[in-house]
């Protein structure tokens, strides 16, 4: 008999917000004769009173049935039992109760078997705090004392740690990720098992690890995650870091929550300049967006190291990276710091936001110096002008800019 605890204290709060909307999906599945529960991270975060991320639903209905009863379904992983149901602009992952075979490709289980009871589905989940389910009335199913672990603030595997980590070594990185997000301790046996199985991390598809690392570096308690990373020497099995472990040693005591993996790579680069951003991005199989952001941040940090904070730095760095830059300055440079307010006040007073706003362009320069051939001098001159304007030394006025150029003509050798 499955125990079910009703959350009396949270009763009212529980079915507010995202849970109310998702309840329509649960109701509809139940009306069609199947079971459905809120499951995993959303139940955990509800009990912790943390902001709820995505709402995941577990159901006894096979994916074909979900396709049939809802109008807007995206069949993202039918063979694994997962579809996305879209409702009022929100996506819900609806997954059929299942048990899994081996993860021999280290991405997906080789086989999954759909089942019609939730208990075995909860048993396949990684940690007790993630193996909670809740029905539409707010009754919690807690087969592995996940609630007790939430209150004790511990991360503990469902079942035998060594077996569970062998089954899918990504769970080792996930343990670090949850300790970083929640500030929880990793329970002793789980930690021992992580140490025993950590070499298996080498077999994980890197993209899966990158997703977890990205969440890890953004965790509110990232210093917990990094302390474990250092203590367990799990970095010995991570790309690049295995050859340069001192990078982690150097930052694990002072790390603070970052905004993205790009910020982490920029930080790593500032610690070890012999490893380029490109190398980090390639080894961790990250996107070009990560590469671009990390490069921008590194350029800004290097410029800051030489010149300090000024209009030109703020102008050159796209606004969406300003917060990341502030975080990194405070981490990278001892005894130096900048604040978001300082950066914002420079930004507010910038006379122009981009080169396009300059009241003069390349054609004007060609007209001013008809005897010169087109060439790199045009870009150089425009950048000189841009700097003068950004620093407020010159007004962004066509005539004044032309006048300035006459007095500062291009030097062509
Ligand atoms: P977040 O709030 O960051 O999304 P989450 O707990 O929902 O956290 P997900 O990665 O979205 O984490 O996974 C959803 C649920 O699926 C988890 O709570 C867990 O029950 C289960 N799960 C995910 N990945 C694994 C895994 N590798 N092994 C076992 N169970 C997993
Ligand atoms: Mg989730």
């Amino acid at each position: 008999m499955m125990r079910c605890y009703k959350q009396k204290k949270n009763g009212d709060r529980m079915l507010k917000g995202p849970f109310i909307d998702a309840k329509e999906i649960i109701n509809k599945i139940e009306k069609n004769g199947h079971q459905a529960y809120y499951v995993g991270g959303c139940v955990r975060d509800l009990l912790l009173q943390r902001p709820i991320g995505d709402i995941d639903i577990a159901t006894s209905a096979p994916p074909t049935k979900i396709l049939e009863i809802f109008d807007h379904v995206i069949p993202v992983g039918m063979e694994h039992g997962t579809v996305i149901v879209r409702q009022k602009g929100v996506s819900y992952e609806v997954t059929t109760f299942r048990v899994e075979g081996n993860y021999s490709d280290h991405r997906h289980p080789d086989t999954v078997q759909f089942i019609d009871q939730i208990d075995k589905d909860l048993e396949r989940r990684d940690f007790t705090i993630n193996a909670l389910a809740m029905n539409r009335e707010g009754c919690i199913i807690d087969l592995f004392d996940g609630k007790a672990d939430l209150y004790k603030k511990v991360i503990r595997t469902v079942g035998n740690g060594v077996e569970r980590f062998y089954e899918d070594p990504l769970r080792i990185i996930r343990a670090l990720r949850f300790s970083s997000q929640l500030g929880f301790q990793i329970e002793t046996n789980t930690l021992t098992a992580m140490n025993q199985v950590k070499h298996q991390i080498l077999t994980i598809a890197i993209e899966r690890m990158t997703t977890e690392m990205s969440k890890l570096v953004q965790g509110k308690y990232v210093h917990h995650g990094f302390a474990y990373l250092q203590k367990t020497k799990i970095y010995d099995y991570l790309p690049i870091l295995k050859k340069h472990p001192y990078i982690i040693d150097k930052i694990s005591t002072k790390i603070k929550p970052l905004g993205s993996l790009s910020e982490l790579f920029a930080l790593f680069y500032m610690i070890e300049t012999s490893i380029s951003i490109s190398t980090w991005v390639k080894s961790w199989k990250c996107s070009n967006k990560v590469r671009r952001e990390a490069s921008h941040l590194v350029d800004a940090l290097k410029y800051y190291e030489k010149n300090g904070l000024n209009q030109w730095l703020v102008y050159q760095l796209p606004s969406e990276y300003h917060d990341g830059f502030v975080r990194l300055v405070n981490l990278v440079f001892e005894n130096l710091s900048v604040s978001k307010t300082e950066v914002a006040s420079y930004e507010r007073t910038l006379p122009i936001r981009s080169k396009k706003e300059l009241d003069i362009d390349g054609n004007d320069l060609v007209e001013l110096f008809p005897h010169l051939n087109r060439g790199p001098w045009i870009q150089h001159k425009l950048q000189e002008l841009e700097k003068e304007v950004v620093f407020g030394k010159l007004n962004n006025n066509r005539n004044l800019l032309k006048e300035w150029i006459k007095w500062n003509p291009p030097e062509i050798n």
Side-chain angles (χ1 to χ4, degrees):
M1 181 66 194
M2 212 175 283
R3 284 174 296 166
C4 169
Y5 305 97
K6 183 138 186 172
Q7 294 299 294
K8 286 220 176 67
K9 248 199 291 176
N10 292 337
D12 291 342
R13 198 181 308 124
M14 186 139 34
L15 292 178
K16 278 187 183 159
F19 287 93
I20 291 275
D21 292 334
K23 195 172 170 181
E24 286 178 34
I25 296 176
I26 294 194
N27 285 344
K28 197 159 179 186
I29 299 176
E30 289 190 348
K31 274 201 190 110
N32 279 271
H34 290 276
Q35 308 155 51
Y37 297 88
Y38 305 100
V39 74
C42 65
V43 183
R44 176 197 69 218
D45 291 342
L46 173 77
L47 293 176
L48 288 174
Q49 301 185 15
R50 290 176 83 231
I52 308 295
D54 299 330
I55 295 223
D56 294 331
I57 293 170
T59 179
S60 58
T64 45
K65 185 78 190 175
I66 302 294
L67 272 177
E68 201 181 295
I69 62 183
F70 291 97
D71 293 333
H72 302 289
V73 186
I74 311 167
V76 283
M78 293 283 282
E79 64 284 13
H80 301 112
T82 304
V83 298
I84 289 188
V85 174
R86 295 275 302 166
Q87 183 186 258
K88 294 184 192 157
V90 182
S91 293
Y92 300 91
E93 223 177 78
V94 178
T95 306
T96 306
F97 300 156
R98 66 182 196 208
V99 286
E100 300 175 340
N102 290 331
Y103 277 69
S104 59
D105 72 349
H106 304 290
R107 283 169 203 263
H108 303 296
D110 295 342
T111 53
V112 304
Q113 189 192 337
F114 299 146
I115 50 177
D116 58 10
Q117 295 299 321
I118 196 171
D119 51 354
K120 287 270 185 273
D121 182 274
L122 294 177
E123 205 176 316
R124 76 169 168 89
R125 291 172 186 271
D126 47 7
F127 303 109
T128 61
I129 56 171
N130 289 344
L132 296 162
M134 181 172 78
N135 75 3
R136 66 188 164 84
E137 285 165 343
C139 282
I140 305 271
I141 300 174
D142 177 14
L143 304 179
F144 310 101
D145 287 336
K147 267 181 34 169
D149 286 344
L150 278 182
Y151 297 122
K152 282 190 270 179
K153 295 183 188 289
V154 298
I155 297 162
R156 183 162 60 93
T157 50
V158 170
N160 179 291
V162 173
E163 281 170 25
R164 301 310 309 284
F165 290 136
Y166 261 107
E167 208 172 68
D168 180 7
L170 184 73
R171 293 170 186 153
I172 298 173
I173 309 290
R174 284 173 61 86
L176 301 180
R177 186 260 270 200
F178 289 114
S179 90
S180 163
Q181 289 181 318
L182 307 172
F184 285 18
Q185 301 291 321
I186 299 173
E187 180 267 338
T188 328
N189 292 328
T190 300
L191 193 61
T192 309
M194 283 165 69
N195 268 312
Q196 236 171 299
V197 185
K198 62 190 174 195
H199 57 279
Q200 288 292 318
I201 290 172
L202 293 171
T203 65
I204 312 171
I206 185 78
E207 303 88 327
R208 296 180 78 212
M209 207 145 75
T210 303
T211 311
E212 295 301 328
M213 278 306 276
S214 167
K215 293 185 176 181
L216 191 158
V217 299
Q218 296 179 57
K220 185 170 170 195
Y221 306 91
V222 61
H223 55 284
H224 274 259
F226 269 72
Y228 278 121
L229 187 60
Q230 192 192 27
K231 205 162 84 183
T232 55
K233 293 199 166 105
I234 280 174
Y235 51 59
D236 280 346
Y237 305 94
L238 300 180
I240 306 183
L241 292 169
K242 59 185 161 206
K243 289 203 193 118
H244 304 270
Y246 78 92
I247 297 180
I248 295 294
D249 294 339
K250 201 155 174 201
I251 59 169
S252 63
T253 52
K254 55 179 185 181
I255 188 87
K256 298 248 167 62
L258 300 175
S260 60
L261 267 189
S262 327
E263 286 177 31
L264 184 72
F265 293 155
L267 175 62
F268 285 169
Y269 174 83
M270 294 306 287
I271 292 171
E272 180 49 71
T273 51
S274 71
I275 308 162
S276 70
I277 289 294
S278 243
T279 309
W280 285 108
V281 168
K282 272 190 214 146
S283 312
W284 283 82
K285 293 207 176 156
C286 290
S287 63
N288 278 329
K289 182 174 177 290
V290 171
R291 182 196 307 267
R292 216 169 26 245
E293 180 174 348
S295 306
H296 267 297
L297 286 166
V298 162
D299 289 347
L301 290 166
K302 283 188 189 159
Y303 182 92
Y304 175 82
E305 194 171 21
K306 250 189 173 165
N307 308 284
L309 187 65
N310 63 27
Q311 292 91 326
W312 187 244
L313 189 158
V314 174
Y315 170 80
Q316 294 247 293
L317 186 66
S319 331
E320 65 263 37
Y321 308 147
H322 286 182
D323 290 355
F325 168 75
V326 169
R327 281 188 282 271
L328 287 171
V329 165
N330 299 334
L331 273 177
V332 171
F333 304 111
E334 272 164 40
N335 312 321
L336 290 179
S337 73
V338 295
S339 68
K340 284 187 193 179
T341 340
E342 273 175 280
V343 175
S345 74
Y346 272 113
E347 191 181 25
R348 248 193 327 274
T349 55
L350 286 177
I352 55 171
R353 295 299 165 109
S354 78
K355 199 179 240 156
K356 280 190 223 123
E357 289 180 28
L358 210 55
D359 208 9
I360 200 167
D361 64 15
N363 292 329
D364 297 317
L365 296 195
V366 173
E367 266 176 35
L368 281 172
F369 301 97
H371 56 289
L372 293 182
N373 291 332
R374 282 175 185 268
W377 67 269
I378 301 180
Q379 283 317 314
H380 295 155
K381 233 26 218 181
L382 279 177
Q383 193 181 66
E384 258 182 72
L385 275 168
E386 197 183 3
K387 262 192 172 167
E388 293 291 309
V389 170
V390 167
F391 277 117
K393 293 184 188 159
L394 194 56
N395 276 343
N396 187 27
N397 167 292
R398 196 175 171 73
N399 291 332
L400 289 176
L401 298 178
K402 281 186 172 176
E403 194 59 27
W404 184 90
I405 294 189
K406 279 186 206 150
W407 289 100
N408 300 274
E411 286 164 28
I412 305 289
N413 309 322

